[in-house]
């Protein structure tokens, strides 16, 4: 049995409109709260099969939580290194899974450097987004959606480091959907993919400024950028206010709380930032929500209001 579950695929009447069906792949319902367990669970199982006896990861939240969950299920110890910006809730969730938690550095790349230094011959390092094993596992999301529903002619998803994007492209290609477009949504303060596409090369952002901390990668992985050259990937930007508003509406409409990183993809559909006029059936990846609470969503919205 894989470590992830088969999540529901439902049609959203609130996001749909005449001539357009919107299908939601509810990855926020995974046991650790996000799609990450698909790829990370797959990678952890592979590493355990070849004799690795410990897992180490660096994460701002969801990936570390997925590694901690996988380690507990497989009976192997886990160390997760998080940056100082990781929320108290995310830290508590990781520790609740039995992992050793270390806090290091002002940003993810500093936490990642420490995590890499902890790796030895018996230890597997789990990157949060840049690993072919992860992409292979994430691709199962597309396999499932095609089994569950009537099909789709476009995909909408959020992009941070590019692991989900890379996995979805792999899933589309292995299901002979090479021409299916992907709307790749970022918030304006974490637009590493958009800026890279504009520049024609992979760009490293000088700084990150967004409430969608799960998207806070200063640079997308090489695979994600390379795929923009060979697949129909359409970058989309939304602002933080739109992402937060989408989270609240989604809670009202579907009774599921998601985090701002997921709200970005939802906002692209509800607010029209993604031009879906040419499509009849769209798959939206509801990527996760474990690290959010309604209080944090509303506090972030209030803080943005105070800046106006």
């Amino acid at each position: 049995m894989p470590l992830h579950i088969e999540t529901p695929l439902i049609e959203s009447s609130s996001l749909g409109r005449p001539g357009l069906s919107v299908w939601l792949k509810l990855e926020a319902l995974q046991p650790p709260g996000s799609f990450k367990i698909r790829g990370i669970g797959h990678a952890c199982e592979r590493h355990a099969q070849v004799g690795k006896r410990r897992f180490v990861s660096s994460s701002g939240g969801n990936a570390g939580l997925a590694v901690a969950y996988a380690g507990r299920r497989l009976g192997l110890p886990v160390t997760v290194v998080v940056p100082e910006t990781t929320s108290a809730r995310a830290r508590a969730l990781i520790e609740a899974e039995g992992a050793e938690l270390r806090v290091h550095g002002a940003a993810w790349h500093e936490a990642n450097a420490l995590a890499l230094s902890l790796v030895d011959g018996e230890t597997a390092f789990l990157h949060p987004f840049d690993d072919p094993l992860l992409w292979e596992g994430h691709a199962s999301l597309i396999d499932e959606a095609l089994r569950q529903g009537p099909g789709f002619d476009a995909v909408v998803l959020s992009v941070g480091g590019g692991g989900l994007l890379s996995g979805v492209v792999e899933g589309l290609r292995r299901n002979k959907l090479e021409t299916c477009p992907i709307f790749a949504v970022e918030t304006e303060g974490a637009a590493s993919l958009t800026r890279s596409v504009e520049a024609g090369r992979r760009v490293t952002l000088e700084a990150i400024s967004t409430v969608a901390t799960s998207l806070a990668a200063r640079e997308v992985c090489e695979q994600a950028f390379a795929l923009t050259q060979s697949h129909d990937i359409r970058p989309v930007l939304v602002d933080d206010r739109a992402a937060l508003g989408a989270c609240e509406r989604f809670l009202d409409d579907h009774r599921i709380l998601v985090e701002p990183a997921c709200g970005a993809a939802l906002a692209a559909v509800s607010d029209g930032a993604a031009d879906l006029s040419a499509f009849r059936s769209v798959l939206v990846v509801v990527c996760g929500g474990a690290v959010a609470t309604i209080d944090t969503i509303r506090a972030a919205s209030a803080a943005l209001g105070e800046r106006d």
Side-chain angles (χ1 to χ4, degrees):
M1 292 291 292
L3 296 176
H4 68 270
I5 65 169
E6 183 168 307
T7 56
L9 178 74
I10 66 170
E11 187 174 8
S12 173
S13 58
S14 58
L15 288 171
R17 62 200 71 157
L20 177 68
S21 297
V22 175
W23 293 89
L24 306 174
K25 191 68 169 112
L26 297 177
E27 290 297 290
L29 300 183
Q30 289 290 351
S34 83
F35 77 94
K36 293 280 190 180
I37 190 57
R38 289 185 181 271
I40 283 173
H42 176 65
C44 286
E45 287 184 305
R46 288 284 192 90
H47 290 310
Q49 287 167 0
V50 299
K52 298 299 183 182
R53 307 311 306 157
R54 176 171 168 256
F55 300 137
V56 170
S57 183
S58 59
S59 171
N62 286 317
L65 181 54
V67 177
Y69 174 83
R72 179 175 63 78
R73 288 282 307 276
L74 295 170
L76 296 177
V78 173
T79 299
V80 179
V81 185
V82 301
E84 295 162 2
T85 52
T86 298
S87 69
R89 175 175 171 81
R91 298 183 197 187
L93 289 170
I94 291 168
E95 290 184 311
E97 290 288 354
E100 175 193 10
L101 181 75
R102 297 198 187 185
V103 181
H104 177 78
W108 171 78
H109 67 279
E110 295 174 355
N112 190 56
L114 176 59
L116 288 170
S117 75
L118 302 176
V119 175
D120 57 30
E122 292 190 337
T123 302
F125 173 69
L126 280 303
H127 196 286
F129 54 82
D130 193 2
D131 183 343
L133 286 175
L134 268 62
W135 312 331
E136 188 176 284
H138 295 334
S140 64
L141 185 156
I142 296 298
D143 301 334
E144 274 183 24
L146 291 169
R147 288 198 307 269
Q148 294 171 312
F152 47 86
D153 52 9
V155 178
V156 180
L157 51 76
S158 299
V159 177
L164 176 59
L165 174 63
S166 300
V168 165
V169 171
E170 184 167 331
L172 292 172
R173 289 179 173 178
R174 74 189 188 193
N175 284 283
K176 304 187 186 310
L177 294 172
E178 298 90 343
T179 60
C180 181
I182 299 173
F183 290 86
V185 188
E186 300 172 293
T187 52
E188 292 172 350
S192 53
L193 181 72
T194 300
R195 302 304 172 223
S196 296
V197 170
E198 290 172 347
R201 58 179 175 80
R202 205 156 57 116
V203 169
T204 302
L205 300 178
E206 292 185 5
I208 296 287
S209 176
T210 182
V211 299
T213 55
S214 295
L215 304 184
R218 294 175 61 217
E219 183 179 60
V220 294
C221 64
E222 290 184 13
Q223 174 74 353
F225 177 68
L227 289 171
T228 65
Q229 312 300 303
S230 61
H231 195 92
D232 185 358
I233 296 172
R234 308 179 188 188
V236 177
L237 290 180
V238 300
D239 62 26
D240 279 355
R241 183 173 282 100
L244 291 165
C247 292
E248 293 221 39
R249 288 195 302 274
F250 195 73
L251 180 60
D252 289 341
D253 294 338
H254 296 287
R255 299 158 300 284
I256 298 172
L257 180 65
V258 296
E259 61 188 88
C262 181
L266 297 169
V269 177
S270 62
D271 297 0
D275 181 4
L276 303 176
S277 58
F279 305 99
R280 296 178 60 83
S281 182
V282 175
L283 177 69
V284 180
V285 181
V286 182
C287 54
V291 300
T293 69
I294 191 59
D295 289 338
T296 60
I297 296 291
R298 288 174 176 166
S301 296
L304 288 178
E306 291 171 1
R307 294 179 200 170
D308 294 342

